Structures are given as C-alpha cells and as structure tokens.
C-alpha cells in the first residue's frame, strides 16, 4: 500500500505540480505542466497497464487504484475548461485577434486576409517588430488600421510586438513599455481616442527556458497591473503559459480568459505542428471588469509555429 501511495505522489508531482506548493514555478515543472493533456494520457495508460497486471497479481490492486486517483485529480483541473459560460447579452462588442508571427516569418498576406475578412477591432502580434509592421501596414491600409511596433528596424522582429487598431477607435495613443527593465519584449499599450477608458495591451512574455524562468515569472506577474486596474483593460498575446501555470492564474485572477469562457481553453495554440488536443494553449486574450467572450476561434495560418486566436468580447456598458 505504501508503495502505491508513493507512486501516486510521484506521478502527481509531475501532472499537477501547481497543487504541490507551487512547484510549477520552477524548472523542470514549469515546462512539463504546459503539456498536462499529454501527461494525463500517459498516466491513464500506466493505470490501464497496472490494472492488467492485477489480473495475475491480485495483491497489486492498490497500484492501478492509486494511478486512477492521479488521473481523476489531473482531469479535475482540466474538465471545467470544457464548459462554456452563458453567452453574454448586451454590452459593447469588441473583436480581438492575436497571432504570434514567429520571428516575423508568418505569411503576412494570409494574416492580412484574416483582418480583411474578420475586421478585428484590436490586434496583437507578438514577434512582429517594425520590419513586419511595414510589410503588413500597406496590406490593411485600405481598412484604415493604425499600427505601432514596440521595436524599430534595427531590432529583429522576434524582439517586438505590434498592435493594430481599427479606425473605429479613431486617434488612439500608443505607448511602449516593459514589465521590468530586464524584460526582453516591450509591450504596446493602446488608449485614448474612441476607446474611452478602455486600455488594450499587446503582450509577449519571455519563454520559460533554462535560465529565463525567473524573468518569465516577473513578466507574467506584471500582467496583474492591468487586470486589477480601476478601468477596463484587454491584454492579448503570447503569454508562454497555460492556465495550468499558477503564476498566470494568480496574475489574471481579476481577468477572464476568453477561451475558458467559451469552453475551448484546452485547444492548443502551440506548437502548430501538433494536433490541437496535444499541444499547449499559451496564447490568450484576458479582459477585466466583467468583459465576457461571446465567441472564440483558433485559426491555422501559414508560416508560424503558433495558431492565431480570434474572440469577440462583450464589454459591460
């Protein structure tokens, strides 16, 4: 029995490290927990294999039972994201598009086609600096979009974030900032004009690679400044974290996640080469003050290792 308990404990440390005193805040659990869906499948297969073993060794029954407990515990953290909130009625609709353009290599014409077709009000493009912005801007100029990049042409696209705003909001103001002085990716904050008291942020967190996990935690923690703001805010982009990361959940506790509100928060946005059920959902649109998503789509666009996300939010009057 003790062996079964120890096995279950060891397995749960990897599948739900966020429930083990926030172990997901440190490597290697930070990276592992992003693929909780895969871990759930692995643990379920192990449980099944152990169950087959008990057919010949009945005394081994505590082991598959212990693994089934881990399966249930892991699944319980994910299943709620499959259920949508009630579709909002009333309020002001705002359509938001976010797409990591992968070091500026994503097909700019395909992206422009999506913007022409969907007419998003606000667009966040991580890994798009001034170089990519100059490619995109002429393609959507006829629609009246205003664009701004967080880095100039002297910097590679991977270091930048670009925001695009539809003419609906008029003469907005773009501000470039960093979460911390060491944050490698400046964000673009949009306000003013016809946006009223609404703020939009095109955001990109550093990836939690070896040596960068501490900065990743700081980048994500900084998102709370917009979620807890007294005025409405929308933050969109590549957060390099899923809702299984306790750091992201804490930072966005006062925001709603558009995908979770529509019951699609288990649809992977990265890497695009893997099936949608197998990867990690690290691209998000967060909004505070009761803003609720009425629709959410994940789009495959050529040239990027990310999928794009498109949502229509309803902002309370």
């Amino acid at each position: 029995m003790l062996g079964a308990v120890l096995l279950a404990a060891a397995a749960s440390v990897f599948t739900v490290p966020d429930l083990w005193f926030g172990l997901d805040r440190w490597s290697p659990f930070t990276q592992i927990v992003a693929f909780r869906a895969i871990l759930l499948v692995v643990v379920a297969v192990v449980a099944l294999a152990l169950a087959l073993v008990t057919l010949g060794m009945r005394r081994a029954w505590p082991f598959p039972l212990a693994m089934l407990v881990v399966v249930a515990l892991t699944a319980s953290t994910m299943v709620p994201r499959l259920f949508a909130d009630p579709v909002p009625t009333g309020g002001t609709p705002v359509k938001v598009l976010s797409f990591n353009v992968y070091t500026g290599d994503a097909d700019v014409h395909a992206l422009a086609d999506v913007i022409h077709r969907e007419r998003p009000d606000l667009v966040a493009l991580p890994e798009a600096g001034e170089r990519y912005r100059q490619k995109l801007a002429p393609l959507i100029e006829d629609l009246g979009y205003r664009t701004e990049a967080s880095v100039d042409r002297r910097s590679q696209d991977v270091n930048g974030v670009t925001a695009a705003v539809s003419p609906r909001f008029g003469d907005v103001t773009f501000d470039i900032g960093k979460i911390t002085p060491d944050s490698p990716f400046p964000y673009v904050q949009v306000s003013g004009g016809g946006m009223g008291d609404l703020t939009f942020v095109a955001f990109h967190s550093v990836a939690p690679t070896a040596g960068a996990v501490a900065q990743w935690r700081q980048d994500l923690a900084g998102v709370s400044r917009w979620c807890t703001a007294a005025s409405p805010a929308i933050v969109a982009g590549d957060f390099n974290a899923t809702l299984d990361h306790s750091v992201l959940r804490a930072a966005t506790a006062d925001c709603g996640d558009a995908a979770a509100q529509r019951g699609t928060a288990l649809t992977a946005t990265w890497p695009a080469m893997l099936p949608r059920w197998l990867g990690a959902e690290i691209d998000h649109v967060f909004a505070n003050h009761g803003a609720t998503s009425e629709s959410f789509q994940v789009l495959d666009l050529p040239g990027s290792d990310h999928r794009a996300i498109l949502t229509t939010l309803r902002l309370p009057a």
Side-chain angles (χ1 to χ4, degrees), residues 6-20:
L6 292 176
L7 175 63
S12 66
V13 165
F14 288 94
T15 61
V16 286
D18 48 317
L19 303 184
W20 282 86

Side-chain angles (χ1 to χ4, degrees), residues 10 38 81 117 187 194 209 223 225 250 284 307 314:
I38 298 176
R81 297 176 214 160
R117 183 177 70 248
Y187 59 78
T209 56
V223 177
R225 70 178 66 176
H284 304 269
R307 296 183 177 95
R314 287 279 176 173

Side-chain angles (χ1 to χ4, degrees), residues 141-266:
E141 185 177 13
D142 59 317
L143 300 179
Y145 279 84
R146 295 188 62 195
T147 58
E148 184 76 15
S150 63
V151 298
D152 59 28
R153 286 189 60 85
R154 291 173 296 180
S155 183
Q156 297 294 320
D157 278 311
V158 67
N159 300 318
V161 177
T162 290
V165 183
S166 80
R168 164 186 176 181
F169 291 124
D171 189 18
V172 297
T173 299
F174 295 94
D175 294 299
I176 311 301
K178 286 188 173 185
I179 296 294
T180 71
D182 295 326
S183 296
F185 306 131
Y187 59 78
V188 180
Q189 181 173 287
V190 186
S191 59
M195 294 181 68
D197 59 356
L198 175 65
T199 297
F200 172 67
V201 183
F203 178 83
H204 188 195
S205 164
V206 68
T209 56
V213 175
Q215 183 61 55
W216 169 80
R217 290 196 298 264
Q218 293 180 52
D219 284 356
L220 293 181
V223 177
S224 64
R225 70 178 66 176
W226 295 294
C227 285
T228 60
S231 56
I234 299 171
V235 189
D238 176 7
F239 292 74
N240 276 304
T242 73
L243 295 179
D244 292 313
H245 287 103
S246 59
V247 180
L248 181 63
R249 294 200 304 269
T252 60
D254 293 293
C255 275
D257 178 77
Q261 290 171 341
R262 296 275 40 90
T264 58
L266 296 181

